Amino acid sequence: MSSLPQLRIPATYMRGGTSKGVFFRRDDLPEAARVAGPARDALLLRVIGSPDPYGKHTDGMGGATSSTSKCVIIAAASVPDHDVDYLYGQVSIDTAFVDWSGNCGNLSTAVGPFAIANGFIPAERIPRDGTVTVRVWQANIGKTILVQVPVRDGQVQETGDFELDGVTFPAAEIVLEFVDPSDDEGEGGSMFPTGNLIDDLDVPGVGTLKATMITAGIPTVFVNATDIGFAGTELQPAINEDKAALAKLEAIRVAGALRMGLIKTAAEAATRQHTPKVALVAPAQDYTASSGKHIAADAIDLNVRAMSMGKLHHAMMGTASVAIATAAAVPGTLVNIAAGGGSRERVCFGHPSGTLTVGASVDQVNGQWAVTRAVMSRSARVLMEGWVRVPQG
């Protein structure tokens, strides 16, 4: 019988946007886990409590959902004119797998406060009262995020009156700016990897669907909700309790990943669960959010429902919000059409928990669309700090 003591690792448990995760300073990790590889993955899996065939994460820090099975590693910046490197791991719930293929836009919010509280920002840049812009290098995708963090009495301000649908209590508003947020991962190196605003996507077992495929924020496949039998106003149970619907949506994800050049074979999709996302779009309609709040059609531009790690997300991923805003700003995409067409720099969309407004600036460069920035407001706070314990070995 094993009697090895547990490792005791400094950690902070934080909420960022509508997600939460375990944050580490890279230099606080065991030496073998400070670099990419099996040791790092094994450590984070054990911290979260995966793989868990019961799907509960009872023996770990995870929350058994895609929004709560996350880890973040922060280090001093490796890139000039940045403050920190931010590395994000999406931990699978029921398999021994950590996906490093994309960013978490929600937890990006918490990176700024964490950086300030943990000494990554020089004291002379922190006012007694005001705002600190933390310059974050998102190491998963090689992009810059500016996190504008409010400060009061020289400390990060966490409480406030800003309300975010999908989060129970109000908090201080944090503004995120994603700079040049297109991943440009696809074969063509374009924000629209196929070169088209709308494609005919052949999905085995489903048929041919109209799809907009974009890499802004995070690689995302947009389809019309009505084309696959949905209204676009669904809440989680309507999709997550329907095995046939989940299988159909995963088939769309795999077909989109292949068409975008993100994977070479369908089998590779199992090792890339975090990306691409699949999102269903529909024109604005009245619906009742999961909180019981009535969302009126005239209060939003369109409805969007997005999948995350094989399940309908309870609100909206921050990176997918960037994709939504960017696609909405480009005339002729499915998202733009669902929002009523025309040019727009801001879009308000309905999601299962309520509404969200996001801005994006796009332009055409040498005949190709490009996004220069996307902006949204979120909030974050520390839930617990101290040490996380993990059995040795």
Side-chain angles (χ1 to χ4, degrees), residues 25 40 44 139 141 150 170 192 197-198 200 211 214 245 278-279 295 308 336 376:
R25 293 172 56 108
R40 173 184 285 177
L44 299 187
I141 59 174
F192 296 99
L197 301 184
I198 297 177
D200 288 323
I214 192 170
V278 173
I295 308 298
S308 180
N336 176 267
M376 72 180 78

Side-chain angles (χ1 to χ4, degrees), residues 114-137:
F114 183 90
I116 295 171
N118 284 270
F120 289 99
I121 309 302
E124 60 269 22
R125 280 189 37 212
I126 303 174
R128 179 171 178 81
D129 297 292
T131 301
V132 177
T133 299
V134 180
R135 300 165 298 195
V136 177
W137 179 250

Side-chain angles (χ1 to χ4, degrees), residues 350-382:
H351 57 72
S353 293
T355 69
L356 182 64
T357 299
V358 186
S361 297
V362 299
D363 199 3
Q364 279 189 298
V365 180
N366 297 324
Q368 290 194 337
W369 286 100
V371 56
T372 56
R373 62 193 290 269
V375 179
M376 72 180 78
S377 290
R378 314 299 262 176
S379 62
R381 75 179 186 93
V382 172

Side-chain angles (χ1 to χ4, degrees), residues 13-25:
Y13 198 43
M14 296 192 74
R15 177 185 65 76
T18 57
S19 293
K20 59 183 178 180
V22 185
F23 280 62
F24 299 96
R25 293 172 56 108

Side-chain angles (χ1 to χ4, degrees), residues 69-138:
S69 303
K70 302 170 180 278
C71 288
V72 169
I73 300 171
I74 304 295
S78 63
V79 176
D81 299 321
H82 291 73
D83 297 309
V84 291
D85 282 3
Y86 153 44
L87 190 64
Y88 164 67
Q90 175 74 56
V91 181
S92 177
I93 296 168
D94 56 0
T95 59
F97 177 69
V98 182
D99 196 332
W100 301 98
S101 67
N103 178 33
C104 175
N106 278 300
L107 287 189
S108 299
T109 316
V111 173
F114 183 90
I116 295 171
N118 284 270
F120 289 99
I121 309 302
E124 60 269 22
R125 280 189 37 212
I126 303 174
R128 179 171 178 81
D129 297 292
T131 301
V132 177
T133 299
V134 180
R135 300 165 298 195
V136 177
W137 179 250
Q138 213 302 318

Side-chain angles (χ1 to χ4, degrees), residues 198-232:
I198 297 177
D199 282 280
D200 288 323
L201 181 65
D202 293 324
V203 183
V206 177
T208 301
L209 302 174
K210 297 294 183 184
T212 289
M213 291 171 275
I214 192 170
T215 63
I218 198 165
T220 305
V221 181
F222 291 102
V223 296
N224 289 319
T226 54
D227 287 350
I228 55 172
F230 295 109

